[in-house]
Amino acid sequence: MIDVKNMSALVTDLWMFSNVGNNTTSEDNEHLRAFGTHGNETVFFYYPAALMDFAAACFIIFAIVGVFGNFVSILALSKSKKLRNATTAFIVNLCVADLLFCGFSMPLSALTFLERDWNYGDVLCKLFPLVRYSNGAVSLFSVIAITINRYILIVHPTLYRDMYKPRNIAIMIGFIWISALVLLFFPLFEVWGKFGYDPKVGTCSIMKLNERSPKMTLYIVAFGLPSMVFLVCYSRIFWVVHQASQRVMKDSLDNVSINRSVTFSSKKGVFRKHYRHSEMETEKTALKRSKQELKVLRMMMVIFITFVLCYFPVSFVKIFKKEDDLPILNIFGYLGVYFSNIINPVIYIVMSNEYRKAYLDLFCLRSAKSPKSSVV
């Protein structure tokens, strides 16, 4: 005789097993654990073991290098009196966000990849995506702030000192963190999406709530806004520097012409020669300063492009839902995201002579000189 109650329970269990998805609750997850299916149905479970172990090993290395590199960057740039300016403040802020990511998110990711599943409770399951996404937002907003800082300095230099006073810089940095957190308050308080365990992937992320999720909006903000800022700012900066270069070339030609006629000119002509020479020197100084600023801009552009390249694979996989079809690209997407949090100190050392000196000074590898405070 068929036991109707047992049959009903079996049907219910099968239904829950077949509907593991974005709306799975923590109670459902506990039920799945009881039946031994939690973990066996995740994408990670079916990935090659060597691929998962390789990714976990990379995460551990990234965490160690990232914590050390970003911590050293914070110390070196904060200690340097010559680099006490708005740009350095934003870069230090960027390093703080990356340090938190490397110290918290990467170790948990390494353990998740080794175990092929999330086994650390609901509290950490909500905190993990909150830290990961907020730090990513802070990093990107910091790069945007640096770009705008360079734009104001070169295009509107008369406004620079008033805008970037220490108090205003502190307000800007506070606004960066608040903006990043506000974007994630909606899933945190389950107003728009929610933080939780994704049984398909086997880790914690932003989930759908009532078929709604802010993930797509976050992607648009993360890539659309900075792209627009970079396009506008860099185009304008390039034009201003180009115009300054043209003026210097014109004044150089005028000065040569005046020099040739000095022997036959009057005192008025000589006076005009000195005036033009002084004007040309002023333009040369402005151009030299602009070129120095362009070096910093190139470094910031490399940081931004690196950020985009690191995030593109995982964005492609997530947007087009290719976790099942492209396991290697999916794993390398994770590696790219995490690698972006350790590469910035390397970029500073390679591309900036001033930052390189700050690192050398920190380790007493360079003879001490009387520092000159930077005006920017």
Side-chain angles (χ1 to χ4, degrees):
M1 181 176 178
I2 299 175
D3 191 331
V4 177
K5 290 184 178 180
N6 290 339
M7 180 63 72
S8 176
L10 178 60
V11 170
T12 301
D13 293 336
L14 290 173
W15 180 85
M16 291 180 64
F17 177 80
S18 63
N19 284 278
V20 174
N22 287 344
N23 294 320
T24 305
T25 64
S26 59
E27 290 81 8
D28 295 335
N29 293 336
E30 291 296 330
H31 189 81
L32 290 173
R33 288 190 186 95
F35 278 84
T37 58
H38 187 273
N40 292 344
E41 292 302 311
T42 68
V43 171
F44 290 163
F45 184 81
Y46 293 103
Y47 280 8
L51 181 63
M52 296 297 293
D53 293 340
F54 170 76
C58 288
F59 291 162
I60 295 172
I61 295 172
F62 289 174
I64 295 172
V65 174
V67 168
F68 176 77
N70 285 292
F71 182 71
V72 168
S73 297
I74 294 170
L75 287 181
L77 300 183
S78 301
K79 184 180 178 182
S80 175
K81 294 182 179 180
K82 189 175 182 180
L83 294 175
R84 289 180 180 175
N85 52 59
T87 304
T88 302
F90 292 129
I91 291 176
V92 169
N93 188 59
L94 178 65
C95 291
V96 169
D98 291 344
L99 176 63
L100 292 174
F101 187 93
C102 293
F104 178 79
S105 299
M106 284 193 189
L108 284 175
S109 295
L111 292 172
T112 301
F113 273 51
L114 285 173
E115 298 172 359
R116 315 292 194 266
D117 203 358
W118 181 269
N119 298 306
Y120 306 103
D122 291 336
V123 175
L124 278 180
C125 192
K126 290 185 177 181
L127 190 59
F128 175 72
L130 175 64
V131 173
R132 186 175 68 177
Y133 284 103
S134 62
N135 284 336
V138 170
S139 297
L140 195 54
F141 290 162
S142 296
V143 174
I144 292 174
I146 295 168
T147 303
I148 295 174
N149 171 267
R150 300 293 92 187
Y151 171 81
I152 297 296
L153 179 64
I154 295 176
V155 180
H156 303 288
T158 56
L159 303 177
Y160 186 86
R161 289 189 180 276
D162 290 333
M163 286 187 62
Y164 289 98
K165 294 179 178 178
R167 177 175 173 272
N168 294 343
I169 294 172
I171 292 174
M172 292 175 189
I173 291 175
F175 181 76
I176 287 173
W177 284 90
I178 292 173
S179 300
L181 292 174
V182 165
L183 288 174
L184 298 171
F185 276 173
F186 298 102
L188 179 63
F189 295 104
E190 299 188 359
V191 176
W192 184 17
K194 64 178 181 178
F195 293 133
Y197 173 76
D198 186 344
K200 179 180 179 182
V201 180
T203 189
C204 298
S205 184
I206 299 177
M207 310 292 295
K208 285 185 178 180
L209 182 65
N210 299 324
E211 299 301 323
R212 297 171 64 244
S213 170
K215 258 190 176 181
M216 189 58 63
T217 302
L218 292 177
Y219 281 124
I220 293 173
V221 172
F223 292 98
L225 178 61
S227 298
M228 181 179 66
V229 171
F230 268 68
L231 179 63
V232 172
C233 290
Y234 278 120
S235 299
R236 181 60 176 156
I237 289 170
F238 173 80
W239 178 251
V240 169
V241 174
H242 175 72
Q243 291 292 94
S245 176
Q246 293 296 315
R247 286 196 299 270
V248 169
M249 291 178 63
K250 181 178 181 298
D251 287 341
S252 297
L253 292 174
D254 290 346
N255 190 62
V256 170
S257 176
I258 293 170
N259 283 335
R260 288 176 179 174
S261 62
V262 165
T263 306
F264 307 98
S265 63
S266 64
K267 291 184 179 180
K268 185 177 180 180
V270 174
F271 172 78
R272 184 170 181 272
K273 168 198 163 185
H274 285 294
Y275 170 77
R276 298 293 290 179
H277 179 72
S278 176
E279 183 181 85
M280 186 184 71
E281 290 300 320
T282 301
E283 292 288 349
K284 282 184 176 180
T285 302
L287 181 61
K288 183 179 180 181
R289 184 183 181 88
S290 297
K291 287 182 177 180
Q292 291 174 343
E293 296 307 321
L294 282 178
K295 289 181 180 179
V296 178
L297 282 168
R298 280 196 292 269
M299 182 178 69
M300 293 303 107
M301 180 174 284
V302 169
I303 291 174
F304 176 76
I305 292 174
T306 301
F307 183 92
V308 172
L309 291 177
C310 287
Y311 271 78
F312 175 77
V314 73
S315 300
F316 176 84
V317 170
K318 299 303 180 184
I319 291 175
F320 295 101
K321 303 184 185 301
K322 296 293 185 179
E323 293 94 338
D324 294 322
D325 302 329
L326 302 171
I328 295 179
L329 185 62
N330 188 31
I331 294 301
F332 273 88
Y334 281 100
L335 291 174
V337 170
Y338 293 175
F339 181 72
S340 69
N341 292 274
I342 69 171
I343 191 62
N344 289 334
V346 177
I347 295 175
Y348 304 150
I349 295 173
V350 171
M351 297 195 64
S352 172
N353 185 48
E354 293 300 325
Y355 289 123
R356 191 159 52 247
K357 290 177 181 177
Y359 285 100
L360 294 175
D361 287 340
L362 180 65
F363 293 103
C364 301
L365 298 177
R366 196 171 67 95
S367 58
K369 296 181 180 179
S370 57
K372 296 180 180 179
S373 180
S374 174
V375 296
V376 296

